[in-house]
Amino acid sequence: MNRPIDVTLYFNFRSPYCYLASKTLWPVVDDYDVNLIWKPVGGWNLRSSPDRAKKKVPLARQDVARFARRLQIPLNPPPMETETTLAAKLSLLAEEKGVLREYIISVMDKEWAEGQNIGEQEILFSAGERAGLNRDDMQTALDNPEYMTLLEANVEEADEKGVIGVPTFLIGDQIFWGQDRIEFVLEELDRLTAEQDGG
């Protein structure tokens, strides 16, 4: 019997490219026998520094808008001051509760389709409830220091593995950076699946 293939995903809810990935990554888990290893980060981790981001925003917004038109999805960027550490924390709860996909989609839509600031707890809780999370559980999760420890460990691990941005997928020693590399992720999964099947 074949073992599931480990696919690690580094993700920051503040990244517009992670928003695009939230619409296109699901064949990775739907079409293959995969163990998705979820590695969220918050704040500015695995993103450009604030000063650098200010210079990149006009170009990035144009670029993301082109992809959004191609995918036929809405794009309404959130306020620049949006802070995503709380969203990253709650994603760990969503994973534990078995609603990670629903949570990712809901939060990213709230932020990037509706243009809302998910750094505001009430807005974030609204997105979490839409994904199936309980408000009391979310409050408990935000107060749990272990979640922050996990986020910090994800940043350290990413640095050790050579991850420089989000979204990034890792399969073995292969690093796939960017939502436009998901096709290569699928090709790698095709190759590894064929190897497992003796092809």
Side-chain angles (χ1 to χ4, degrees):
M1 183 175 179
N2 292 339
R3 290 176 49 193
I5 299 167
D6 286 343
V7 177
T8 302
L9 172 57
Y10 291 91
F11 194 99
N12 189 320
F13 286 89
R14 191 61 181 88
S15 166
Y17 294 100
C18 283
Y19 170 54
L20 298 174
S22 76
K23 303 299 184 184
T24 59
L25 72 86
W26 305 112
V28 171
V29 294
D30 289 338
D31 298 347
Y32 301 88
D33 187 10
V34 156
N35 174 37
L36 182 66
I37 302 172
W38 174 242
K39 297 288 185 176
V41 299
W44 288 94
N45 291 309
L46 300 184
R47 300 182 59 240
S48 298
S49 68
D51 287 341
R52 173 77 169 150
K54 288 177 184 177
K55 295 180 181 179
K56 287 178 59 178
V57 162
L59 173 60
R61 294 260 168 104
Q62 288 184 10
D63 188 46
V64 172
R66 295 183 193 110
F67 278 107
R69 284 194 296 271
R70 178 178 291 177
L71 293 171
Q72 298 183 332
I73 59 174
L75 178 66
N76 293 293
M80 286 292 293
E81 68 270 16
T82 298
E83 218 293 339
T84 58
T85 300
L86 299 183
K89 283 184 178 181
L90 288 190
S91 75
L92 296 169
L93 172 68
E95 182 182 31
E96 292 172 6
K97 297 294 185 181
V99 293
L100 180 59
R101 181 193 304 219
E102 293 85 353
Y103 177 84
I104 292 171
I105 293 171
S106 179
V107 172
M108 293 307 262
D109 282 352
K110 181 73 72 174
E111 182 182 18
W112 289 100
E114 300 175 25
Q116 298 198 43
N117 184 348
I118 60 167
E120 296 180 9
Q121 186 169 302
E122 190 56 36
I123 291 172
L124 181 60
F125 278 12
S126 173
E129 287 179 324
R130 189 165 62 185
L133 293 178
N134 175 278
R135 185 170 288 255
D136 290 339
D137 289 343
M138 288 189 281
Q139 185 61 64
T140 300
L142 292 185
D143 295 335
N144 184 347
E146 292 183 7
Y147 285 135
M148 193 66 212
T149 299
L150 286 172
L151 297 184
E152 292 168 351
N154 289 345
V155 175
E156 292 179 9
E157 179 185 283
D159 183 61
E160 291 170 359
K161 292 186 175 182
V163 174
I164 59 173
V166 287
T168 290
F169 298 81
L170 267 62
I171 305 176
D173 62 356
Q174 296 296 302
I175 300 174
F176 304 86
W177 173 33
Q179 108 289 339
D180 53 345
R181 302 302 195 272
I182 290 175
E183 289 185 7
F184 290 116
V185 173
L186 300 177
E187 288 179 6
E188 180 70 0
L189 291 172
D190 280 335
R191 186 185 71 79
L192 293 173
T193 299
E195 280 185 0
Q196 287 186 341
D197 293 339

